[in-house]
Amino acid sequence: MDTTINQSPGRGRRMPFIQVITFSVVIGILMLFALGIINRSAKPVETGVAPQFTIPLYGGGTFSLADQRGKVVVVNFWASWCIPCREEAPMLERVWKRYQDREVVFVGVDYVDTETEALKFIQEFGLTYPNGPDLGTEISRRYRIQGVPETYFVNKDGTLGGNRIGVIDEATLVAKLEALLKK
C-alpha cells in the first residue's frame, strides 16, 4: 500500500506565497488602523486663525473662507449617509434663513460622499446655504475633524470662535451666533 499523498506540482510552493500575501494584508490593515488611531488622537483645531479653504459648490461656483472676512461663518461638516446629520439639517436651514441677512454665512462641507447622494440630501432638506464636496478630505484634515456632523464657528476677523463635535441643537447654535455677532 502506497502511503504517499498525491499533491499537485507546485502546491507546496504556493503556500508560502499565500502566507506572504495574507501577512501583507494583515500588516496593511493594522497600519491603517494605527494611522486612524493617530489621526483620531489629534484634537480638532479650536483656536487661532481658521484654516483657509476654497470649495467647489454643488450649485456651481466656489466658496472661499478668505472672502468672508467681516462675517461670522458657520462651517458644518456633514454626509448624506450620516444619520445625525439628517437630524441636524432642517434646523441648520431654519437658523441660516433667520441669520443670512445679519452678516452670517453658513457653508456645508460634504465629507466622503458621492455627488448623487449629496445632491439628494440637499434637495430632501431644501438646503439653500452653500454646500460642496470636501475633495480628497483636504478641508476635514485641516480642521482635524473627528467625524460628522461637526460644526466650526469663524469670527468676523477670521479666527476660530469654537466648534461642536456631534449634533448641535438650535438653542446652542443661536446662542453662539448671537455671541459672535456681538464681538
Side-chain angles (χ1 to χ4, degrees):
M1 176 183 258
D2 188 6
T3 58
T4 60
I5 298 174
N6 239 350
Q7 286 187 338
S8 32
R11 183 176 176 140
R13 284 180 269 194
R14 286 190 190 164
M15 199 57 160
F17 179 72
I18 290 171
Q19 288 173 339
V20 168
I21 295 297
T22 303
F23 180 75
S24 298
V25 168
V26 169
I27 293 297
I29 289 170
L30 289 174
M31 287 177 65
L32 288 173
F33 181 69
L35 288 173
I37 287 175
I38 291 167
N39 187 35
R40 292 223 184 266
S41 68
K43 292 186 176 187
V45 177
E46 294 177 349
T47 60
V49 176
Q52 297 300 302
F53 65 89
T54 298
I55 188 170
L57 299 175
Y58 285 124
T62 59
F63 176 94
S64 172
L65 184 59
D67 292 344
Q68 307 309 314
R69 285 288 170 105
K71 300 174 185 172
V72 171
V73 181
V74 176
V75 181
N76 178 258
F77 291 89
W78 64 274
S80 66
W81 45 264
C82 165
I83 302 303
C85 298
R86 301 182 80 71
E87 297 168 17
E88 186 180 68
M91 178 277 299
L92 289 171
E93 179 63 18
R94 270 194 316 276
V95 176
W96 157 245
K97 285 182 177 176
R98 192 176 337 156
Y99 281 87
Q100 66 183 341
D101 295 328
R102 295 187 56 197
E103 296 190 346
V104 173
V105 176
F106 280 41
V107 62
V109 180
D110 183 25
Y111 177 75
V112 188
D113 215 341
T114 66
E115 182 173 351
T116 302
E117 293 303 312
L119 291 172
K120 285 181 191 175
F121 182 93
I122 291 167
Q123 183 177 11
E124 178 181 346
F125 294 105
L127 303 181
T128 59
Y129 56 88
N131 279 275
D134 185 7
L135 301 174
T137 66
E138 182 180 325
I139 302 166
S140 57
R141 282 186 283 134
R142 287 183 188 171
Y143 281 78
R144 297 193 303 255
I145 71 166
Q146 304 299 296
V148 288
E150 204 161 306
T151 304
Y152 288 80
F153 300 93
V154 181
N155 292 307
K156 294 176 184 180
D157 65 359
T159 59
L160 284 167
N163 69 316
R164 172 68 179 221
I165 297 172
V167 174
I168 189 166
D169 63 85
E170 190 164 346
T172 302
L173 178 57
V174 167
K176 188 66 173 175
L177 289 174
E178 289 296 332
L180 294 176
L181 284 168
K182 290 177 183 173
K183 281 188 163 186

